[in-house]
Amino acid sequence: MAATVTDFHYGAVTPVAAYLMACLGSALGLRCTVRSMRGGPRGKKNGWLSLAAVSLGCGIWTMHFIAMMGFRAVGSGIAYDTQLTLLSLVVAIVVTAVGVFLVGHLGSGAKVLAAAGVLMGLGVAAMHYIGMAAMRVDGRMRYDTVTVALSVLIAVAAATAALWAAVTVRNLWSSLGASLIMGVAVTGMHYTGMAAVSVHAGHTGATSAQSSIDQLSFLLAMIAGPVIMLVVAATIVMFDPDLVLGDEQRSAPGTDAVRRGTGPAAGLYAPRPEAVNTPVQHRR
């Protein structure tokens, strides 16, 4: 018999919190990727790309498991396999790293974006379903094939859009807007994948289920590390002026050029020619 399944056990709290974490990871990942493309030593570039991958991966993974806090199957308890749960985090970071490093080093050509987007999207979907495989229920989980395929397509589209935004959107406010859209896409992929799930109650010999409190405590413990990583990444971003300012602010006319006495606005501050070396005449 099919159990009644809900993804909103705590109402709007879990989807809103999941969406915000997806937005945070997307925003940090976009800004770090932008920073990596402003030149500098290769090692520093790779450092920014690595930070972008960790931010995006942790943001997506944290979004998934915050959303899973709201998952309940009436008549079936839920437990999680720790190793598979951690494996899903590794997959999220690794596949995101593949995508951002491909774009960061090979450019933003259509073929590169398409290849990187497909690899990254399939990896995000793999992270989601590995996380689902880590879940143990007193029953059998089944998936609707069409809905699963739709969730994978959304993941690929979201990943491609994220990579495109990372190499195209340079302005700070535009990046923030892109991260809000990315949050919708990533969270939408998760809930589309969850719509494919049905649970058929009945003991299957799986590990004993946790109580709701134990399940919540486990998930909170799991997401603590990635959340700390996101806080560290946010701190690095906030203290790097080149990351906070977009290209438009950095290259705004009348800033450094005016100070050097060059540029179109330099004449406003330069002394008039007739005033240079002109002796002062005194009235008698």
Side-chain angles (χ1 to χ4, degrees), residues 38-112:
R38 288 182 177 162
R42 186 180 181 86
K44 193 171 183 180
K45 179 185 183 73
N46 289 336
W48 285 116
L49 290 173
S50 299
L51 188 60
V54 170
S55 299
L56 281 168
C58 288
I60 294 170
W61 189 86
T62 305
M63 174 279 302
H64 171 84
F65 281 99
I66 287 178
M68 289 307 297
M69 290 179 185
F71 179 81
R72 292 290 185 276
V74 178
S76 175
I78 299 173
Y80 285 89
D81 181 280
T82 304
Q83 292 182 344
L84 281 177
T85 301
L86 293 176
L87 175 62
S88 65
L89 173 60
V90 173
V91 169
I93 295 176
V94 170
V95 298
T96 304
V98 171
V100 296
F101 270 81
L102 278 175
V103 171
H105 287 289
L106 298 182
S108 57
K111 292 182 179 179
V112 175

Side-chain angles (χ1 to χ4, degrees), residues 133-218:
M135 193 166 61
R136 303 286 183 257
V137 298
D138 292 330
R140 189 176 302 278
M141 294 179 60
R142 294 180 180 174
Y143 294 89
D144 178 73
T145 305
V146 174
T147 312
V148 169
L150 178 60
S151 71
V152 174
L153 289 176
I154 294 174
V156 171
T160 305
L163 294 172
W164 175 84
V167 297
T168 305
V169 179
R170 302 299 178 92
N171 177 270
L172 174 62
W173 295 109
S174 298
S175 292
L176 293 178
S179 69
L180 295 178
I181 297 173
M182 282 305 307
V184 172
V186 173
T187 309
M189 176 268 160
H190 170 84
Y191 283 105
T192 301
M194 294 307 297
V197 176
S198 61
V199 177
H200 295 262
H203 187 64
T204 59
T207 56
S208 59
Q210 299 166 321
S211 68
S212 295
I213 296 177
D214 290 340
Q215 177 192 349
L216 186 61
S217 299
F218 173 82

